[in-house]
Amino acid sequence: MKVGIPLEIAPNELRVAATPKTIKRLQKQGFDVRVQKGAGHKANISDEGFVEAGAQLVETAQEIYQGSDIVLKVKEPSLEEISLMKPGLVLLSYLWPAQNGHLMEALAKQQVNAVAMDSIPRISRAQKMDVLSSMANIAGYRSIIEASFYFGRFLNGQITAAGKVEPAKVLVIGAGVAGLAAIGAANALGAIVRAFDTRKEVAEQIASMGAAFLTVEIDEDGATSSGYSKEMSQEFIEAEMNLFLEQAKEVDIIVTTAQIPGREAPKLIMDYHVKAMRPGSVIVDLAASTGGNCELTKNGEVYTTENGVTIIGKLNQLPNQASQLYGNNLCHLLDDMGKAEKFAIDMEDAIISRAMVTYNGKINWPPAPLQVSPSAGGAEKKTAPNPDDIRRKEIEAAKKATMSTVIGLSVVGLLLLFVGKFAPPSFIQHFTVFVLAIFVGWQVINNVTHALHTPLMAVTNAISGIIVVGGLLQTKNDLSNTMTIIASIAILVASINIVGGFLVTHRMLNMFKK
């Protein structure tokens, strides 16, 4: 099978659907790859690089669309490009089917089987094909880099001979892939980072990236089964706006990432928020292409407001890196479709059926909802446990444990009484030392936080503690005594084990330090 990579004709599209590395991967999958001349120039990839990777260069887009079985593309095709496509062609590209109904009709009329890469469902198996996530990762990282450029000051705090420099304060709105990437980049540069999201489930993710999670005093969660946030109540939105106003007066950089597939981006930063910001502050709007989260954003532009706030409505795509990640996503999807040898369009597959927006001359959009959790009818209904029942069970368990302990101690006491009556005094003395050594060793290890040790280390250190105490009790002033020599060796070996355990623990703790 032949795979074609056309030149992107959109002037603002710098990416290409394949790189020399993904070309080699496509060949390993069994495909013959053809690339239009100049396809990678905007991404700093030369034609020679494609040829060295094993691709065949062709002159025109028509040769790509007519001579290929599968076409890999970035930007949605124009009507002119669609007219060049042969019937039965499989197209993998951004398509935005909810916004481009006319393109869906043209693709269906041309008998093109089109996969919208932006419509890959967000399920675990499809993560490796999720182009929205891979591109959002780049956008989030780049948002902080460009914000720091326009901000014109350090992001990290410093104490120098010339004086103290306060760290910059960054607010990230939306903790999806782009938001978390922005949090990570800002935190790595030393800024004080805060983040807001309507989904309370992301609080731990935000904290793990080094940011403070902001929320409003309203018990409402924006999480949905699709991975995107739902529309919130008016009361929540008003509280949200007040929170953003308070933060706008404090922070230096705001990064907004909120987008809703198939709809205009929600307005989160209003004109009065911008007016409240200090001169020199920066807003990076990652939703600029879909209307912007900031009311004053101009798509494709970077400008400064009258009160000195810079609003960034475009970012450098990092086309070389983005092309590599996008190409990997495409290769993963082709892997899933059977590679060249067993390539097939399985409309029963949860991923293909929802991303294949036109198939056999028909429009397959919108897709059927994806069931991500057990249906109400198929799952047993779980009721909240009764507090009285829980308390009753706890009391019964405590009584059983107490009874078991009493019985156990009674048995041990009787055994000790029996042993003490018939055993020689020397045995009782050694047995007493043994019991005390166990008790002291147990106390030594029990007072160390379990999180500092693996279970194996905890057990070995406990045993070593027992050996050390026992050895100390057996040593005498006579160095020629056999018992003293054996006890000293035991103490030495056990001490080595204990010291080694703590050294390993120290190294483990250092792994979590910057």
Side-chain angles (χ1 to χ4, degrees), residues 239-407:
E240 184 182 56
M241 293 295 107
N242 292 332
L243 174 65
F244 294 160
L245 181 58
E246 292 174 9
Q247 293 298 315
K249 297 174 182 177
E250 292 184 33
V251 299
D252 303 295
I253 297 171
I254 296 178
V255 178
T256 64
T257 70
Q259 297 195 66
I260 303 173
R263 294 172 56 184
E264 186 177 348
K267 300 300 179 196
L268 303 176
I269 303 297
M270 316 305 275
D271 56 351
Y272 61 88
H273 292 130
V274 179
K275 290 178 182 177
M277 298 180 76
R278 295 188 294 266
S281 300
V282 179
I283 296 174
V284 185
D285 194 339
L286 296 185
S289 61
T290 55
N293 296 138
C294 177
E295 199 173 38
L296 303 181
T297 297
K298 297 178 181 178
N299 185 29
E301 294 185 31
V302 178
Y303 78 102
T304 303
T305 63
E306 293 181 0
N307 63 320
V309 177
T310 301
I311 301 179
I312 302 174
K314 69 171 183 177
L315 291 177
N316 186 316
Q317 292 180 326
L318 301 182
N320 191 286
Q321 179 74 75
S323 298
Q324 179 63 43
L325 294 179
Y326 183 70
N328 286 339
N329 293 140
L330 295 172
C331 288
H332 283 306
L333 181 56
L334 291 175
D335 267 335
D336 217 49
M337 297 179 76
K339 306 179 183 179
E341 185 179 353
K342 298 179 180 179
F343 184 84
I345 299 174
D346 181 8
M347 293 303 287
E348 298 298 319
D349 184 271
I351 297 172
I352 302 303
S353 63
R354 286 163 178 80
M356 186 73 69
V357 293
T358 60
Y359 179 63
N360 287 346
K362 295 181 180 179
I363 297 175
N364 186 40
W365 183 265
L370 182 64
Q371 186 69 34
V372 295
S373 59
S375 61
E380 291 185 9
K381 217 172 183 181
K382 292 185 179 180
T383 58
N386 189 328
D388 294 334
D389 292 339
I390 295 174
R391 180 62 180 165
R392 193 181 307 111
K393 289 180 180 178
E394 289 177 349
I395 293 173
E396 290 176 0
K399 286 180 179 178
K400 288 181 180 179
T402 303
M403 185 61 68
S404 300
T405 303
V406 170
I407 294 171

Side-chain angles (χ1 to χ4, degrees), residues 5 16-31 33 35 40 43-55 72 319-332 334-335:
I5 315 295
V16 62
T19 66
K21 287 184 179 180
T22 61
I23 292 291
K24 292 179 181 179
R25 183 170 174 179
L26 289 169
Q27 290 175 325
K28 287 181 180 179
Q29 292 175 329
F31 296 107
V33 186
V35 181
N44 297 319
I45 302 173
S46 65
D47 290 339
E48 290 75 17
F50 283 126
V51 172
E52 289 174 6
L72 309 182
N320 191 286
Q321 179 74 75
S323 298
Q324 179 63 43
L325 294 179
Y326 183 70
N328 286 339
N329 293 140
L330 295 172
C331 288
H332 283 306
L334 291 175
D335 267 335

Side-chain angles (χ1 to χ4, degrees), residues 409-428:
L409 289 174
S410 300
V411 172
V412 171
L414 290 173
L415 287 173
L416 289 176
L417 183 63
F418 178 79
V419 170
K421 187 173 182 180
F422 296 100
S426 59
F427 176 82
I428 296 298

Side-chain angles (χ1 to χ4, degrees), residues 430 467-493:
H430 290 301
I467 293 171
V468 168
V469 174
L472 288 172
L473 292 174
Q474 295 301 318
T475 55
K476 299 180 180 179
N477 291 332
D478 186 6
L479 295 178
S480 62
N481 187 282
T482 304
M483 184 62 71
T484 301
I485 294 172
I486 295 173
S488 299
I489 294 173
I491 291 170
L492 175 64
V493 174

Side-chain angles (χ1 to χ4, degrees), residues 16 41 69 89 111 189 194 244 281 287 293 361 403 414 444 448 461 467 470 480:
V16 62
H41 286 176
D69 302 299
L89 177 72
Q111 297 286 318
L189 289 174
R194 304 162 183 174
F244 294 160
S281 300
N293 296 138
M403 185 61 68
L414 290 173
V444 168
V448 177
N461 277 353
I467 293 171
S480 62

